[in-house]
Amino acid sequence: MSIELRIENLSKTYKNGVKALDNVSLTIPAGMYGLLGPNGAGKSTLMRTLATLQEPDSGTATLGDIDVLAQKDEVRKRLGYLPQEFGVYPRISVQDMLSHIALLKGITKAKERKDLVAWMLKRCNLYDDRKRALSGFSGGMRQRFGIAQALIGNPQLLIVDEPTAGLDPGERNRFYNLLSEIGEEIIVILSTHIVEDVMDLCTNMAIINKGQVLYQGHPQDAIAQLNGRIWQISIAKTELAEYEQRYQVVSNKLVGGRPFLHVYSASPLSNGFAPSAPDLEDVFFTKIRSWN
Ligand code: ADP
Ligand code: MG
């Protein structure tokens, strides 16, 4: 039986009155789990709570039989965490940096530490750059370093918060490949506002918005729920306001300079609409629209 993370009724209101988590309950099995939500949804608040860096107002979380909120040291031994921002980019080499982190994580034997660091550098494709400082790295290299430091100590729970934001497509692909090589035995929570991250990598997912869970399950089941309900149409810019008023517009993109709409409707639409095969982006926008 592999390990499971259970989150029950977590709530958090910040001092300024923002309710960042509103009764969040999720069951997260081993494998790659996508936590998808727009900016401000509460993702980082949840990730920091699970990483034992802040307290919720109420609720519980358990990792296997460990109480995440009470047994912080036990969680930290099993945790790898790549925060959304890690502010300092030190001037020491990435090799020395990883060695230092390994020491902090209790790997005290020099030879063992050296081998581990070398293996991790190779695994994250940073070996050729091992003598360079993080301060000179590109965004993609920094994120790969972020994974390398998070994987030291063999975590059972790996939390990566918005790891692909700001990466170019090539860097994003390299990062996906690295993540997908991490075993299915550990829990990996990938928090993101980018639908493709979840589509390409995750077998299970949740959608959150305004601190609330709007969906949890398999991406393909969420897509199947929209079968026959998404309609597409290309319109003139001058028609946009009218369409947004009359229809449940899921998304609106410019294609060839014209608005190209996806519209939600349970019953068939005529008047120039064509059926559209739903995808995860339709799911995401349908769930977070105010008309829903
Ligand atoms: P996400 O990571 O999904 O963008 P966050 O968890 O960062 O969401 O933020 C959720 C909400 O809580 C936002 O409205 C944000 O402005 C607010 N928030 C986050 N951190 C704090 C804080 N330390 N103090 C006050 N409000 C905060
Ligand atoms: Mg965030």
Side-chain angles (χ1 to χ4, degrees), residues 193-265:
H193 69 277
I194 298 166
V195 175
E196 289 80 31
D197 288 354
V198 176
M199 211 148 55
D200 293 349
L201 289 172
C202 300
T203 40
N204 289 287
M205 68 175 295
I207 296 175
I208 71 167
N209 193 26
K210 297 178 181 162
Q212 297 180 338
V213 177
L214 304 181
Y215 176 79
Q216 64 174 314
H218 299 294
Q220 61 272 30
D221 291 344
I223 293 169
Q225 286 173 7
L226 285 181
N227 270 338
R229 291 162 185 249
I230 299 295
W231 306 85
Q232 62 186 38
I233 192 166
S234 171
I235 60 169
K237 275 182 190 159
T238 50
E239 298 173 305
L240 187 56
E242 185 200 329
Y243 273 80
E244 283 187 326
Q245 206 196 1
R246 268 186 73 181
Y247 297 102
Q248 297 186 319
V249 175
V250 173
S251 63
N252 159 18
K253 281 176 191 164
L254 283 180
V255 176
R258 286 166 64 87
F260 184 77
L261 309 186
H262 277 197
V263 163
Y264 176 89
S265 174

Side-chain angles (χ1 to χ4, degrees), residues 24-80:
V24 169
S25 298
L26 295 170
T27 301
I28 303 182
M32 195 76 74
Y33 192 90
L35 183 72
L36 181 62
N39 288 330
K43 302 183 296 298
S44 292
T45 301
L46 182 59
M47 300 300 93
R48 285 194 302 265
T49 308
L50 297 173
T52 74
L53 298 174
Q54 72 179 61
E55 301 287 334
D57 299 330
S58 56
T60 60
T62 50
L63 176 65
D65 49 20
I66 299 165
D67 180 336
V68 173
L69 304 176
Q71 298 170 273
K72 292 194 169 60
D73 286 342
E74 291 303 309
V75 177
R76 287 170 191 164
K77 278 185 212 159
R78 294 166 174 79
L79 172 75

Side-chain angles (χ1 to χ4, degrees), residues 9 49 91 119 139 160 165 182:
N9 307 110
T49 308
R91 285 169 198 280
W119 181 71
V160 292
I182 296 166

